[in-house]
Every structure is written in C-alpha cells, then in structure tokens.
Amino acid sequence: MTSSINYTFKQKNVILLMNWMIIFIIFLFHFSIKAQNFDLFQDLSLQSKNPSIVHFTQQDFDADAQFWSVTEDDKGVMYFGNNDGILIYNGSSWNKIKLPNSSSVRSLAKDSNGVIYAGGYNELGTISKNQFGEYTFKSLKDTLQLNNVSFENIWQISAINDNIIFRSFKKLFLLKNGTVTQIPSRNSFIESFHVNDRYFVQDANEGIYEVDLATNQIKKFLDASTLNYETVVYITKNLELITNTGNVFRKQKESIQQIQSLFKDANDQVISAIAYKNQILLGTLSQGIIVLQKNENKFQVNNLENLNGQTVLNLFQTQKENVWALLDNGLEFLNYNSPRTNLFNLASVYDAQVFENNLFLATNKGVYYSSLNNNTINSNSFKKINSLQGQAWSFSIIKDELFINHDKGLYKISKNLKVDKIGNINGIWKTIPFNKSENAYLVCSYNGIYILQLINNNWKIRNKVEGFDESSRDILASKEPYTYWVCHGYKGVYKITFSENLDRTIAIDHYTDKNGLPSPFNVNVFNWEDEIVFSTNKGAFYFNEKNKKFEPFEKLNKIIDTKRNPRKILQSLNKTWVVQDDELGYFETNSNNPFIEKDIFLQTKGTFNRGMETIIPISENGVLIGTHTGLYLYNLNKKRKPENISTEITKVSFSTEQETSFLPIVNDSLINLPNNLTTLRFSFAAPNMPNSLNNSYSYQLIGIDNDWSNWQQLSFKEYNLLTPGEYTFKVKSKNVLGNEASPAVFRFYIQPKWYQTKLAYFIYFLLFIGLIYIIQRLVKRKINYENKKSILKEQRANKMLQLEIDQLKLQKDKAKIEKDKEHLEKDILQKSKELANYTMLLVNKKNFFSTLQEDLKELKTIVKSKQSNQKILEIFKKMHQNKIDEEYLAVFDSNFENVHHDFFKNLRKVVPNLTKKELRLSAFIKMGLSNKDIAPLLGISVRGVETARYRFRKKLNLDHDDKLIEFFESLTN
C-alpha cells in the first residue's frame, strides 16, 4: 500500500515537473519571438531613415511656384520668400503679402528677439502681425537712410547675436543698434556663411573673407585659388567646405586640401545645404536631396527618396527638427517626427515576410525583396524576383521554407532565391497547416481546397478536396476536428467537415442572413481571445452551437463601432488591431477601459486592399502596414508626447449687409459687436504643434453649443445671425499623433437692438404695470356697470311685462292688417291678370281686324262683279264700326292706373310734357309687350314703335333700352 502511494506521489511530481518545463519552454519561445521582433523593428527603424514627405503645389499656396528663402517665428509660423512676395503658413492656411515694389523676396531671417527680416530688390525691412491678425511689411530704407542707395537684390540675411547682416552682390549691410555699416565687394558677394558665431562671405574670384562683427572689419580667410575658384555652398563647424560642384575641402591650420568628390556625375550641382542632427542635407540641381553621413574622414552619400522635385533651391530646419525643401516648383515638407516611414512605394502591398534576413513583399506586380543588411531600406533597396511577375497574395513559412501564394499558383523560394512551382494549379490565396496532421497543409484556392504534403522530401499537391468548389480565401479552423469555417464575400458562411483522409468533404453547412447574419455579404472570420468571431456590416457575431444561429458578440461590440464593418480583426501581443471600413486602429486587449486608437493611422484611410488588409505587428510599438501606395513602418513610440502647445485664433471677422470688418485677436477683454452683424467668422491654427500638417479642430460657442463639436480639419468656423448676448468661443486642436493643444478663447458681446436694451425692457415693465392698473380699473368699472345693469334689468323686466301685454294687442292688430294686405295683394294680382288679359284681347282683336282688312282688300282686287264689291264695302263699314277706338284705350288707361298706382303721375313728374300716346307707350313697355304687340294698339308700324321708344329714351337721357325698362320699374317702386 505504501509503495503504491509513493509511486503515485512520484508520478505526480514528474507530471508537475513536466508542466513547469513546458511553461518554461513556452516562456523562452515567447521571449525569443519578442526579442526577434524587437530586433527586426530596431533594424527597420534604423535603416528606414526616410522622412514622411508632404508636397505643396500652387493649388495649396496660390502663388508662383518658385521659392528662394524661408524662416520660422517663435510660434512655429513659417515665412517663405517667393517670386510673388512673402507667403506665410501657420499649418492650416496661407497668407500672402507683397513688398512695396512687388519684387521677389530672396531672403528671410529671424533675429534673437523674434523679429522677422525680409529682403528683395532694392528693398529690405521687417514683417509684423497687427492686433487683427494681419501681416504687414515695414521698409527700413527710410530708417537706415538707404532710399538713394541701389543695392539690387538682398540674397541672404544672417542674424548673429545682435547683428543683422544683409548680403547683396554689391555690398554687405551690417545693422547693429540702429546703425548701418556698408562693406562693398570687390567683384560680387556670391555666398555668405554663419559658422560658430563667425560670419564668412565669398567674393567671386577673390576668395572667402571673414567679417569681424565687433569692429565691422573684413579680412581674407581663404584665397579663391585654393578652392580652384569654385563657389562654396556650405561650411561645416569643422571648417569643411562643400562647393557647388560637389567637392569637399578641409582647412587645417594654414593649409587646405580636397578630401572628397560627392558626385559621380559632374553635371550636377549643389545649390543649398543645412546641418541636420549628425548629418548634412544637400539640395541639388537634379538629384533632389543628398544626405551626408560623416564616416571617419569622409562623408557617406545617400539619396533621400520620394521627393517630388529634383531641384532644391533652399533647405531649412524647423524648431521641431523637421525640414522644409524649397523647390523651383513648389515646396516639400520633410517630417522626421512622423510615426510613419515609407519603406516601399513601387506597388500595392498584400503581405510581407522576413525570411533568411530578407524582407519579402507580395504585391500586385509580383514579389520584391530587400536585404536587412543594407544600410538603408527604401524603394531603391528592393529587388524584384522576375520569375514571380503578377499578383502575389501572401506568404507561408512551412518547415522553415518560404512559400508564395500567387495568382499563377504555389511557389517555393529556396535560400539562394531559386523559385520552384509546386503542382500545376493556379489562383492560390493562402496555404495553412491542417490542425490534425503535421504533414498536411491546406492550399486555399479560387475554386476549392487542395492538400499539400511533403513526400520523400518533395513538396507535392496530393489531391483536391472533393465536394467544395468555392473560393476559400477567408478560412479558419473550427474547434471541432476536421472542420473549418469558410467565408465567401457574397454567399455567406460555409462550415465544412473533411473526411479523415482529406479526400472529400463529408458535411457542408451553408449560413446566410436566414441564420442570424445581418447579410450574406462582407462576412469575415477571425480568432479573438480564443473565440471564433465573424465580422459583419453590423459588428461582430459568434455562432451559437445550441440554436445554430449567429448572434452579436457583445464583448467585442462594446469596443468597436457596430455601424461599420470590422473587416480585419487581428490579436497580436497585447493589442487587438481592427480595420473598420477603411480606418485602422488598435486597442489594448486586456485594458479595463479599452478604446480604439486610430488618429495615428489617419493617413492610411482609404488605402487598404479590401479583404486583404496587411497588418503585421513586429513589436509592442512597431507595425508594418501594406496599402495601395506601398509598405509603411509605424512607430507607436511617437504616438503621444505631452507638450505645452496652445491653439491660436489667427483672425476674427464679422460681416454686415454693407461690409466686412476685422476684430483684434490679442485683446483678452470682452469685445463689443454691433447688432446688425450677419456673419461671424473665426480662423484658427496650431503652428507649434508637432506634425501640424493634418491638424484637427474642435470648437464650442458657449451660449449656443452644449458640447464640443466633432473633430474636423477645417481651420475656420462661421456663425450666422447670432442673437444679442454674451458669448465665449473656444477652439482646441489635435494632430495625427493624438497630441491635443490647449484651447484658445475669444469673448464677445453682441449689442442688442434698441427694443432689446435694458431701458426698453424697463419701459416694457412700466407698460406692463400700467396695463395691469388699467385692467383693474376696467374690471372695477365693469362690476359697477353690471350692478347698475342688474337694477335696470329688473326695471326693464317690469316694463317688458307691460310691453308684452301691449304687444299682444299689437299682434292682433297686425294680424288683421296682414290679412287686409293679403286680400289687397290678391285683388291687385287679379286686376293685373285682368289687365293683361284685356290688353292681350285688344292686341289680338286689333291684329284680327288688321289681318281681315288686308284679306278683304286682296279679295276686292280679285272679285270683278259690282255686287261682290258692294258686299265687301258693307263689311268694311261694319269693321269700322267695331274697331278699337279711344273708348277701349281709355278703359285700358283706367285699369292700368288701378293696378300700377301713381305710375303716370310719377312719370309726369320726371317728364312733364308727355303726350297721351307716349304715356300709353310707357304703359305697354311697363307691361312687357313687344314692339310687334304695341304697334297695332298705337296704330303705327313696328318701325314706328322703335322710333317712338328711341325718342322717349332721348327725353329721359337713357342710352339703352334695358335702362328704359329699369327706369319704369323704379317709378313703380
């Protein structure tokens, strides 16, 4: 029993010891990996010395493209001498001022007091900024009594202690304490140099002279013959002289000797030069910038890559240790503080791999490589493998051998860079190890998966996995054996299971938006924190094995932006890298409050190869990024450096309907503004910010905005139609590294209109009190009125009772009157009908007699016998006895008068002299008879009736027959 216990105890100790050994080995392996990555990062950082370069064109600065000189003020604002004048750049916007004679500005300098000096053709002076933020040039010609002196161009200005030295070809002007000393040249002062607080000037074909700044005396330093009559461009602190032909001379005591020639091609020239840290930068005529590194007694020569211009007229180092290169066609800003270094820019990069001390790149043009043993790594150091032309997708290291997954197939690179193709299939995305076999690898192609094996020390593609023919670019091993997840860009997600001998698939599950995915498009699969995560257009998802559905992965969704697709999720060391749409960022994986840091990578936005984003962390603070534009090394150590930097308001203007005015920006007091302003505009910058070319700004107008605005790159803000009141405008800035500057503040007060003043509000208050008093009086009066009204109402009620009694009597009388009236109206109506009937009877009778008379006359002409004619005459007599005579018309007049009371009387009042015939005509018209009906009654023709009516209208001064009828109607009314 005891021996059994001892055996068990020993067995446990052995297992525990083995576990500790495994942990120790893992630790050593991890430490080795980290050390290798750190060494690689250090190597790349040291070898890739190219700065980040920004090119400025005429579209940026809106002036002539040729620049001559440059300087920087204490706040980091840059001043450039241009053919069009002085261009001033504060990191956000450009300003331009001209010299009084509009000449080119050849020279600029800043003295120890921060005063900026400028020189042009027969002009020199200072540049200052007024209280409104506007820059002005003040000429010193009057002060220095140089109005009548012709000195032509001022080519250089040097500020040494309290001395300001202006160099033209003809003279030197030494300005000290307001006094000018002039030193003329023998031939031409072609160059001048400030070395160790000493001032040297070169006189053409004479040599180099030194000016004693204490006595303003000049003495020869070197004779021109010792320099082979060459023009010196730069003198180092060690008194090494570099000439425009590229020759380097060294002065030792009284002797001088040529030690080096920089140019292999004698056709080039050195135009400008500056010392930069432990290097010298030379601006050349046709090679851009050459970098000189001191190596024992000589200089090591390297070219600076990626310059857009090859002719560099001048160079300048800024306070932040960056460099401006002045070209004959624009400007270049060399940012040595940028966290981003360009290693390669010849093609679009899809993958990178270090192998056998070489850095290999898979690009759209093929495979490039550069030795890590080179002094520098840049585009020129990379060589192309000619046998691997075309699209290369990725690298795989298998058993210490490098494989290239290429559009044309799978290739292996040997140590001597020999290329061998494996198999005869084309279109390979990647090659990955199979999780259940050490000797099997999955070759993922455009149309399925193949099996790669090492057989008899030869790599062979053994077979294709039958049953799955989809593109397998995005593939990840599942936690289940022989099972893999494959994401297709357009068809969703596949879960495939292989047979044990890897010859076919035994199960394929296809998942789309019907299985919980937001969409079958743009889904990718990654491994994060030992979890399989799927990125979608709505954030991260995971697969729930229980209900076979995809569900949101909240642990990651709390960190990323779920409104954007995290196309790439890569966990490496202590960081998780994420590409959301086209923006790269990272967060600390184990942080208690993780947030995505992305400002430093803003320059890569929109440049990634979608679905094939290249992110290769090589250390805790180093990462390689592949984009459309090449390969970049990012140094995260340069991410944030706390500095005392402030944002500046550079200009404030307001507009009314008539004009635009500027406000003082140096005044901390409250600024009063008129109430008729329509627009208020703030311009701002942070010129002293490191890496200031892509600053972002956030602002807040206290009184309007509740919070700061979103960060944006616009360097101005406009407000329209602000209401009267007191406001405080605040603006802060941030660079691409995340460094945030302290805010600038501007306080102002918009005066109210006359009806918005305190006096107006006091008057409004008095009017309000008066209104309340008036309302109170009116209410009181109303109450008294209502009391009186109640009394009167009671009295009136009594009267109303009596009136109601009287009303009853009146109603009875009214009923009787109404009854009589109704009877009268019926009587009148009856008489009217009788009158109308009588009238029509007369008309018909008259018509009958007229017709009969006509017929008899016609008969008389036909009948020939005497007896018949006699009989016709008797009939005429009888008709004459019965014709309508005055007696019938008199009856008509009487009946008409009974119906239309006082018609004739009223008519005679209007027209006194009317005949009886005209009175009857008016009666017939009143009754509405036509002219045809009236004619027989009056014994005249129809034409005669019309004539009679016309004469009647003339007597009444009426111009129309309708008005005559209206007139008769008015007589009756």
Side-chain angles (χ1 to χ4, degrees):
M1 181 71 179
T2 304
S3 62
S4 175
I5 292 174
N6 289 335
Y7 175 78
T8 304
F9 180 75
K10 290 180 179 179
Q11 188 179 37
K12 288 183 178 179
N13 284 340
V14 171
I15 293 173
L16 183 63
L17 181 61
M18 289 179 65
N19 288 339
W20 277 107
M21 288 181 66
I22 291 171
I23 292 173
F24 181 71
I25 291 170
I26 292 173
F27 171 77
L28 287 178
F29 178 75
H30 178 69
F31 181 80
S32 174
I33 296 268
K34 289 187 68 174
Q36 290 175 10
N37 284 340
F38 178 77
D39 290 342
L40 173 61
F41 176 58
Q42 290 295 100
D43 289 343
L44 290 175
S45 298
L46 291 173
Q47 294 171 22
S48 58
K49 298 175 183 178
N50 285 345
S52 175
I53 298 177
V54 180
H55 185 65
F56 291 86
T57 66
Q58 287 180 281
Q59 293 181 344
D60 299 309
F61 46 76
D62 190 25
D64 188 77
Q66 193 173 47
F67 290 85
W68 298 101
S69 55
V70 56
T71 193
E72 180 184 21
D73 68 13
D74 293 334
K75 291 184 177 181
V77 177
M78 302 302 303
Y79 299 75
F80 298 95
N82 182 272
N83 284 339
D84 283 345
I86 303 161
L87 301 186
I88 303 169
Y89 181 57
N90 59 19
S92 297
S93 59
W94 294 84
N95 288 292
K96 179 169 63 178
I97 57 176
K98 289 182 174 293
L99 299 187
N101 58 7
S102 298
S103 72
S104 299
V105 176
R106 305 287 186 174
S107 54
L108 289 163
K110 182 192 75 171
D111 70 3
S112 58
N113 296 319
V115 178
I116 306 296
Y117 291 87
Y121 185 82
N122 282 332
E123 188 62 84
L124 53 87
T126 60
I127 303 168
S128 60
K129 183 179 179 181
N130 63 20
Q131 61 175 340
F132 301 106
E134 295 178 315
Y135 292 90
T136 56
F137 175 82
K138 180 182 179 182
S139 178
L140 295 177
K141 290 173 64 176
D142 288 339
T143 305
L144 304 179
Q145 299 179 355
L146 298 175
N147 276 324
N148 297 322
V149 179
S150 176
F151 46 82
E152 297 183 353
N153 278 305
I154 299 294
W155 286 99
Q156 278 179 284
I157 303 175
S158 300
I160 305 175
N161 299 326
D162 55 354
N163 298 277
I164 308 298
I165 307 169
F166 301 88
R167 178 184 68 82
S168 70
F169 286 155
K170 293 182 177 181
K171 293 181 180 181
L172 293 180
F173 298 93
L174 283 71
L175 173 62
K176 186 175 183 179
N177 300 326
T179 303
V180 174
T181 301
Q182 301 182 31
I183 301 177
S185 65
R186 292 189 176 184
N187 289 323
S188 177
F189 287 137
I190 55 176
E191 289 288 347
S192 60
F193 312 96
H194 175 195
V195 183
N196 301 328
D197 288 337
R198 298 167 68 182
Y199 185 77
F200 300 93
V201 61
Q202 183 172 13
D203 199 336
N205 297 323
E206 291 290 332
I208 295 178
Y209 292 83
E210 182 178 0
V211 178
D212 187 338
L213 298 179
T215 62
N216 292 341
Q217 298 298 314
I218 187 169
K219 62 180 180 179
K220 182 171 283 191
F221 179 70
L222 285 175
D223 190 77
S225 61
T226 62
L227 300 171
N228 300 326
Y229 296 95
E230 295 183 25
T231 300
V232 176
V233 177
Y234 184 71
I235 302 176
T236 69
K237 293 181 179 180
N238 298 322
L239 298 182
E240 293 156 327
L241 295 86
I242 302 174
T243 68
N244 63 340
T245 61
N247 292 323
V248 181
F249 295 85
R250 178 181 291 126
K251 185 178 187 306
Q252 293 179 337
K253 296 181 180 180
E254 299 302 322
S255 66
I256 186 168
Q257 61 178 350
Q258 181 177 342
I259 61 173
Q260 188 176 357
S261 181
L262 302 177
F263 294 139
K264 296 178 181 179
D265 184 0
N267 292 326
D268 206 355
Q269 291 184 20
V270 178
I271 302 176
S272 56
I274 60 167
Y276 182 78
K277 296 183 178 179
N278 60 345
Q279 300 174 335
I280 297 175
L281 304 183
L282 302 181
T284 67
L285 181 65
S286 58
Q287 296 185 52
I289 295 177
I290 292 177
V291 181
L292 303 184
Q293 183 77 43
K294 192 68 174 291
N295 186 5
E296 295 181 354
N297 292 325
K298 291 191 176 183
F299 291 100
Q300 180 180 323
V301 180
N302 293 299
N303 284 81
L304 193 65
E305 299 294 325
N306 303 328
L307 280 180
N308 287 322
Q310 299 303 315
T311 302
V312 182
L313 300 180
N314 208 340
L315 293 163
F316 181 83
Q317 180 180 340
T318 69
Q319 300 168 21
K320 300 296 182 182
E321 296 185 335
N322 296 313
V323 174
W324 284 93
L326 280 59
L327 314 178
D328 63 347
N329 188 26
L331 294 168
E332 301 270 26
F333 178 69
L334 283 60
N335 189 353
Y336 283 91
N337 294 315
S338 173
R340 159 177 158 140
T341 302
N342 179 249
L343 301 179
F344 174 83
N345 64 357
L346 301 178
S348 179
V349 176
Y350 286 80
D351 197 8
Q353 181 68 55
V354 174
F355 182 74
E356 296 293 336
N357 211 35
N358 288 312
L359 176 61
F360 289 87
L361 303 181
T363 76
N364 63 323
K365 296 181 179 180
V367 177
Y368 292 80
Y369 72 97
S370 176
S371 173
L372 294 178
N373 295 325
N374 290 337
N375 292 324
T376 59
I377 292 183
N378 52 48
S379 296
N380 288 338
S381 68
F382 278 90
K383 298 178 182 178
K384 192 174 186 179
I385 300 178
N386 293 327
S387 57
L388 292 174
Q389 297 274 8
Q391 178 69 63
W393 295 116
S394 62
F395 297 105
S396 302
I397 293 182
I398 303 173
K399 294 185 181 295
D400 295 328
E401 293 186 281
L402 181 63
F403 287 77
I404 295 95
N405 304 289
H406 199 281
D407 177 65
K408 297 179 181 179
L410 180 63
Y411 295 87
K412 185 187 74 169
I413 296 182
S414 303
K415 293 183 179 181
N416 58 358
L417 298 179
K418 179 185 176 183
V419 177
D420 296 311
K421 185 173 182 180
I422 311 298
N424 57 1
I425 59 173
N426 296 328
I428 306 300
W429 294 113
K430 63 174 65 173
T431 302
I432 61 174
F434 183 64
N435 56 4
K436 285 295 180 180
S437 174
E438 294 182 357
N439 194 34
Y441 297 86
L442 304 183
V443 180
C444 306
S445 74
Y446 296 175
N447 56 359
I449 299 173
Y450 295 81
I451 304 301
L452 175 70
Q453 280 189 335
L454 183 63
I455 302 174
N456 297 325
N457 291 325
N458 290 318
W459 289 102
K460 294 184 178 180
I461 295 180
R462 193 190 73 183
N463 63 276
K464 180 180 180 181
V465 178
E466 299 296 332
F468 185 75
D469 297 323
E470 298 292 345
S471 174
S472 51
R473 183 189 70 188
D474 198 8
I475 184 171
L476 186 67
S478 171
K479 294 181 179 180
E480 304 171 32
Y482 296 96
T483 304
Y484 282 79
W485 292 99
V486 178
C487 294
H488 194 285
Y490 304 101
K491 298 181 180 180
V493 178
Y494 295 91
K495 186 178 183 182
I496 59 177
T497 303
F498 299 116
S499 62
E500 291 187 6
N501 60 359
L502 302 180
D503 61 342
R504 60 188 176 87
T505 57
I506 59 175
I508 298 178
D509 296 320
H510 187 198
Y511 301 99
T512 62
D513 51 345
K514 297 179 181 179
N515 306 98
L517 291 171
S519 166
F521 306 112
N522 302 323
V523 181
N524 296 282
V525 61
F526 307 98
N527 203 327
W528 187 75
E529 291 287 84
D530 293 328
E531 296 283 347
I532 295 176
V533 179
F534 298 85
S535 67
T536 73
N537 291 329
K538 293 187 177 180
F541 281 68
Y542 76 99
F543 186 70
N544 190 326
E545 292 288 350
K546 292 181 179 179
N547 58 17
K548 303 298 180 182
K549 290 281 188 180
F550 288 88
E551 297 178 358
F553 189 58
E554 296 300 339
K555 185 178 179 180
L556 194 55
N557 285 340
K558 291 178 181 178
I559 305 172
I560 64 175
D561 184 356
T562 57
K563 295 179 181 178
R564 299 190 296 169
N565 189 327
R567 294 202 310 262
K568 182 87 170 182
I569 301 173
L570 174 65
Q571 185 175 358
S572 176
L573 302 176
N574 297 322
K575 294 179 174 61
T576 296
W577 298 84
V578 181
V579 176
Q580 297 185 98
D581 287 342
D582 281 322
E583 285 187 353
L584 171 64
Y586 70 88
F587 61 89
E588 299 293 336
T589 307
N590 299 319
S591 173
N592 294 327
N593 185 26
F595 69 95
I596 296 178
E597 181 69 60
K598 60 183 180 180
D599 289 338
I600 192 173
F601 305 109
L602 285 178
Q603 288 174 283
T604 64
K605 184 177 180 180
T607 64
F608 287 104
N609 298 302
R610 291 198 173 190
M612 299 288 288
E613 293 84 0
T614 304
I615 304 168
I616 306 173
I618 57 177
S619 72
E620 283 290 344
N621 294 300
V623 60
L624 292 173
I625 305 296
T627 69
H628 293 318
T629 57
L631 182 70
Y632 298 89
L633 172 66
Y634 273 85
N635 184 353
L636 304 186
N637 283 324
K638 296 184 178 181
K639 181 169 65 71
R640 291 177 184 267
K641 290 183 179 179
E643 296 186 45
N644 186 19
I645 304 167
S646 60
T647 310
E648 292 187 11
I649 295 176
T650 57
K651 193 169 290 186
V652 182
S653 64
F654 69 91
S655 300
T656 62
E657 294 180 356
Q658 291 81 21
E659 60 181 356
T660 298
S661 304
F662 295 94
L663 298 173
I665 58 175
V666 295
N667 195 346
D668 294 332
S669 61
L670 190 68
I671 304 296
N672 288 315
L673 298 178
N675 54 39
N676 62 338
L677 68 83
T678 57
T679 301
L680 182 63
R681 179 186 174 105
F682 297 91
S683 298
F684 30 81
N688 214 22
M689 177 82 77
N691 297 279
S692 63
L693 297 188
N694 293 302
N695 285 345
S696 299
Y697 300 93
S698 177
Y699 46 80
Q700 181 184 21
L701 184 61
I702 298 176
I704 295 292
D705 302 325
N706 296 324
D707 203 354
W708 289 90
S709 69
N710 294 328
W711 292 100
Q712 59 184 29
Q713 291 193 342
L714 284 178
S715 59
F716 67 89
K717 174 60 181 174
E718 284 188 355
Y719 293 95
N720 298 314
L721 302 176
L722 291 174
T723 57
E726 184 174 338
Y727 298 90
T728 300
F729 177 77
K730 300 167 69 176
V731 58
K732 57 186 179 180
S733 56
K734 180 176 69 172
N735 65 6
V736 295
L737 304 180
N739 295 326
E740 190 170 316
S742 59
V745 178
F746 186 89
R747 297 171 57 241
F748 62 97
Y749 176 75
I750 299 178
Q751 298 175 352
K753 299 184 184 298
W754 65 267
Y755 52 81
Q756 296 172 322
T757 60
K758 292 182 180 179
L759 177 61
Y761 287 124
F762 179 71
I763 294 173
Y764 299 154
F765 175 75
L766 293 179
L767 291 175
F768 179 72
I769 297 299
L771 181 62
I772 292 177
Y773 176 76
I774 292 172
I775 292 174
Q776 186 180 10
R777 293 294 303 272
L778 291 175
V779 170
K780 189 174 181 180
R781 183 180 297 177
K782 179 70 174 177
I783 293 172
N784 294 333
Y785 172 75
E786 290 295 331
N787 291 335
K788 292 180 180 179
K789 186 177 178 181
S790 298
I791 296 172
L792 291 174
K793 186 176 181 180
E794 187 177 353
Q795 295 175 352
R796 194 174 296 163
N798 294 331
K799 290 183 179 180
M800 287 296 295
L801 183 60
Q802 183 62 40
L803 288 173
E804 286 179 1
I805 297 172
D806 296 339
Q807 186 70 21
L808 290 173
K809 293 180 180 179
L810 288 174
Q811 286 179 354
K812 290 181 180 180
D813 295 340
K814 184 178 180 181
K816 184 178 179 182
I817 292 170
E818 290 292 332
K819 187 175 181 181
D820 292 342
K821 181 180 178 182
E822 183 180 353
H823 178 73
L824 182 61
E825 288 176 350
K826 288 181 179 180
D827 186 51
I828 292 173
L829 181 60
Q830 182 64 31
K831 288 182 179 179
S832 296
K833 291 180 179 179
E834 291 176 355
L835 176 61
N837 292 334
Y838 182 76
T839 304
M840 293 306 299
L841 181 63
L842 289 177
V843 171
N844 291 334
K845 185 176 181 181
K846 186 67 174 178
N847 288 336
F848 172 75
F849 276 111
S850 297
T851 304
L852 184 59
Q853 189 172 1
E854 292 295 326
D855 291 341
L856 288 174
K857 288 180 179 179
E858 184 178 353
L859 182 61
K860 185 178 179 182
T861 57
I862 297 171
V863 177
K864 300 298 182 179
S865 64
K866 183 178 180 182
Q867 186 178 0
S868 297
N869 288 331
Q870 186 63 37
K871 190 62 176 176
I872 289 171
L873 289 173
E874 289 177 1
I875 293 173
F876 270 117
K877 287 179 182 181
K878 289 179 181 180
M879 287 176 61
H880 182 71
Q881 291 174 357
N882 291 281
K883 71 177 181 178
I884 298 175
D885 53 12
E886 187 63 28
E887 182 179 351
Y888 290 100
L889 293 175
V891 174
F892 169 79
D893 293 342
S894 177
N895 289 335
F896 181 84
E897 192 67 36
N898 288 334
V899 175
H900 301 282
H901 299 290
D902 298 330
F903 177 78
F904 291 133
K905 182 179 177 182
N906 292 336
L907 183 59
R908 286 193 181 97
K909 288 181 180 179
V910 178
V911 188
N913 300 322
L914 289 175
T915 63
K916 183 176 286 188
K917 193 172 185 179
E918 289 175 335
L919 288 173
R920 285 175 180 163
L921 174 62
S922 63
F924 293 146
I925 294 172
K926 169 66 177 169
M927 290 184 65
L929 297 181
S930 64
N931 291 348
K932 184 178 179 181
D933 294 334
I934 295 173
L937 294 176
L938 295 180
I940 59 179
S941 65
V942 174
R943 182 66 178 172
V945 175
E946 292 175 354
T947 302
R949 292 179 75 136
Y950 173 76
R951 291 172 179 169
F952 207 161
R953 289 201 309 271
K954 286 297 183 182
K955 287 184 178 182
L956 296 174
N957 293 323
L958 299 175
D959 58 356
H960 198 273
D961 208 41
D962 292 338
K963 293 187 178 181
L964 182 63
I965 297 172
E966 291 177 4
F967 172 74
F968 289 151
E969 289 294 332
S970 66
L971 290 178
T972 303
N973 293 335

